[in-house]
Amino acid sequence: MDFGIIVDGAVIVVENVFRRLGETQAADKVTIRDAIEQATFEVGRPTFFSMLIIIAANIPIFTLATA
């Protein structure tokens, strides 16, 4: 389950980076780096909150551990 949370967040960020790079027409390294940073910051907060919701929804499962 934790692997899925990590991969889900990474996939969202990578997809947005590729979308942003596809929209960027310049081949300048600085422009590409700025596009990657902007794409990462753009989905950072929503990705964090989606992971937080998934973790909160699974807290009952995490507390089922036996002694």
Side-chain angles (χ1 to χ4, degrees):
M1 185 174 343
D2 58 344
F3 183 72
I5 293 172
I6 294 169
V7 170
D8 185 42
V11 167
I12 292 169
V13 171
V14 169
E15 284 181 353
N16 198 42
V17 166
F18 278 126
R19 182 186 65 84
R20 179 71 65 177
L21 288 176
E23 293 173 354
T24 303
Q25 299 297 325
D28 185 18
K29 287 184 180 181
V30 175
T31 306
I32 291 172
R33 182 183 172 116
D34 289 340
I36 291 171
E37 286 181 9
Q38 186 177 6
T40 304
F41 289 132
E42 189 176 89
V43 296
R45 180 177 274 171
T47 302
F48 172 74
F49 283 112
S50 71
M51 287 186 217
L52 194 64
I53 290 169
I54 291 169
I55 291 169
N58 290 315
I59 285 178
I61 296 171
F62 297 146
T63 60
L64 289 175
T66 58

